[in-house]
Amino acid sequence: MSFSNTKKKTFVLHFLSIILSVCIATALWYMVSIRDRIEMQIDVNMDYIGIPKHLIVTDGLIRTVTVRLRGPEALLRNITTRHLRQQIDLSHIKKGVTVVPLTAEKLSGYYRAFDVLDVQPPRIVVKADNVLERTIPVQPEVISNLRKGAITVTDIKISPSTVTVRGPESLVGDLTSIRLPLEIDTRATGTVTQPSLSLDAPGLVTITPSNVQATYTITSKRVIIEQKCDVIIASDTPEKYKIDPAETVVKIEVPEALAQSRSYLRLLKLSVIPPADMTANVPQEVPVHLRIPDGMTVMQPHLEQVTVTYSSDPEDK
C-alpha cells in the first residue's frame, strides 16, 4: 500500500468520525431541546422592595403571580419543587395610581433557561398615599349586656390618654379619636383596673402604644334577693318525665336596678337533661344545670341533683 493511499484512508476515517460526532450532537440537542421540551405553569410568591418612606401602599399588591414557561422537562420538573419568590422594585411609585408591568423582562434570572410564554396578571395597579402621623386622644366606651342604667360607671381614666397614629393620609387625617370599648364585669363593684387593653386601629393604621390601662369605678349598688325557679326538663317530650323537687328557691345577688325586673329574673334557668337509657318508672338522680344571666351571682348552693322518673305512658304520672 502506498503512502498516498494510507493518507487518503486516514482522511476518510477522520471525515466519517466528524460526521458521526455531528449526528450524535444533533441527536442529543434534539432530545434535550426539542423532544423533551414541555410547557408548565408555576406560582411565584411576590416580595416588594424599595417603597419610598413617605408613601404607604393602600391597594394593588398581590401575593402570587402565575408564570407559564417552556423548556427542558427535567429542568422544569426541578424548578416546580422550589418555593420561588420574586422581588418587585416599587421605588418609582408616586402618590395615587401607578401601573407596574410584570413582563418577562421584569422577572429575575430564575427563568433564563426557559421561554417565558405568559405572566398572569401581566401588571399590577398600585395605589399609594402619603404617610401621616398624628397624636389623638383615646375615647373609652362602656360596653355592657345589661339594660341602660342597670350599672353605673364613673371616674374612667385611661393611661396613656393619647396615642400616636400613623398611616395613610386619607385615613389618619379623618381620625379624631381612637375608640376603646370597656367590657364591664357586671358583677363587680368599687374600683376596677384593667391593666392591658388592646386598641383597635383601622386597616393600614398603626397605633403607638398599642395597649393602654383603664381604671374606673362601678357605683351602682347590688342587692341580695331570693328567686323561685322551676326545674325544666330539656327534652322534646317533657310530659313523660316527673321531677322531684320540681322547683326551688335560689338566693342571688343582682344590680339594684334589676331587683324588681321580672323579665331579668326569669333569665335564671334550672334544667336537667334526662339520660337516654332511663328505665320506665325507675327514679334516677340527674344533675341540675344553671343558666345565669349577666350581672347575677348565685349566693347559696343550688340544687345539685333532682330525682327524675320516666314514664312511657304520661297518664301514669
Side-chain angles (χ1 to χ4, degrees):
M1 181 181 295
S2 65
F3 176 77
S4 60
N5 289 337
T6 302
K7 186 175 180 181
K8 183 177 181 181
K9 185 176 181 180
T10 302
F11 174 79
V12 171
L13 291 174
H14 179 67
F15 179 77
L16 290 176
S17 66
I18 292 175
I19 295 298
L20 180 62
S21 298
V22 171
C23 291
I24 293 174
T26 302
L28 291 174
W29 174 84
Y30 172 80
M31 291 177 62
V32 174
S33 302
I34 303 297
R35 186 176 65 86
D36 290 330
R37 290 178 71 83
I38 62 172
E39 293 183 11
M40 184 175 293
Q41 288 190 165
I42 60 174
D43 290 332
V44 180
N45 295 313
M46 308 297 285
D47 291 329
Y48 300 97
I49 61 173
I51 300 175
K53 292 183 178 180
H54 69 284
L55 292 179
I56 183 170
V57 175
T58 59
D59 193 20
L61 300 185
I62 60 177
R63 293 185 177 181
T64 61
V65 296
T66 300
V67 180
R68 185 158 62 94
L69 303 173
R70 181 170 59 207
E73 180 179 7
L75 294 179
L76 273 178
R77 298 293 183 194
N78 179 58
I79 198 173
T80 56
T81 63
R82 305 178 196 170
H83 189 61
L84 297 180
R85 308 196 71 87
Q86 173 67 54
Q87 287 189 341
I88 299 296
D89 185 9
L90 298 181
S91 59
H92 64 288
I93 66 173
K94 295 179 171 55
K95 179 182 178 180
V97 175
T98 304
V99 176
V100 181
L102 299 178
T103 59
E105 292 75 16
K106 289 286 185 180
L107 302 181
S108 67
Y110 290 128
Y111 321 107
R112 289 175 182 170
F114 314 104
D115 298 325
V116 180
L117 304 178
D118 187 35
V119 180
Q120 290 297 327
R123 67 188 65 82
I124 57 175
V125 180
V126 177
K127 295 181 181 179
D129 196 1
N130 288 329
V131 175
L132 180 62
E133 187 172 286
R134 297 175 56 209
T135 298
I136 57 177
V138 178
Q139 182 62 47
E141 180 179 336
V142 174
I143 304 296
S144 170
N145 292 327
L146 300 180
R147 75 184 189 193
K148 187 175 182 180
I151 188 168
T152 307
V153 180
T154 61
D155 299 329
I156 300 175
K157 296 178 181 177
I158 307 298
S159 179
S161 59
T162 61
V163 292
T164 300
V165 291
R166 186 177 188 274
E169 184 178 22
S170 57
L171 292 177
V172 174
D174 294 335
L175 290 176
T176 57
S177 63
I178 291 294
R179 176 176 172 268
L180 174 65
L182 289 179
E183 297 283 351
I184 302 299
D185 182 355
T186 54
R187 295 171 297 179
T189 57
T191 301
V192 177
T193 298
Q194 298 189 34
S196 183
L197 298 173
S198 297
L199 297 172
D200 188 19
L204 301 177
V205 175
T206 59
I207 302 177
T208 306
S210 59
N211 293 277
V212 296
Q213 175 179 293
T215 301
Y216 51 86
T217 302
I218 299 176
T219 58
S220 50
K221 295 181 180 180
R222 295 177 63 81
V223 295
I224 296 175
I225 61 174
E226 292 183 341
Q227 175 67 10
K228 189 175 182 179
C229 296
D230 294 330
V231 182
I232 303 170
I233 283 284
S235 169
D236 293 335
T237 56
E239 70 279 359
K240 293 187 176 183
Y241 298 90
K242 180 182 178 180
I243 307 173
D244 185 27
E247 62 180 22
T248 186
V249 175
V250 182
K251 185 178 289 186
I252 55 177
E253 183 186 68
V254 297
E256 186 178 38
L258 297 175
Q260 303 300 321
S261 173
R262 293 183 180 181
S263 60
Y264 173 73
L265 297 178
R266 281 199 295 265
L267 295 176
L268 174 63
K269 303 289 186 181
L270 278 69
S271 63
V272 294
I273 302 174
D277 59 351
M278 289 191 70
T279 302
N281 302 316
V282 177
Q284 186 170 336
E285 295 291 321
V286 179
V288 178
H289 303 278
L290 264 72
R291 188 174 70 183
I292 305 172
D294 287 333
M296 182 181 294
T297 303
V298 174
M299 300 300 294
Q300 75 174 32
H302 55 82
L303 288 173
E304 294 186 357
Q305 289 186 327
V306 295
T307 301
V308 177
T309 306
Y310 170 73
S311 175
S312 57
D313 185 0
E315 293 182 359
D316 294 340
K317 293 179 63 175

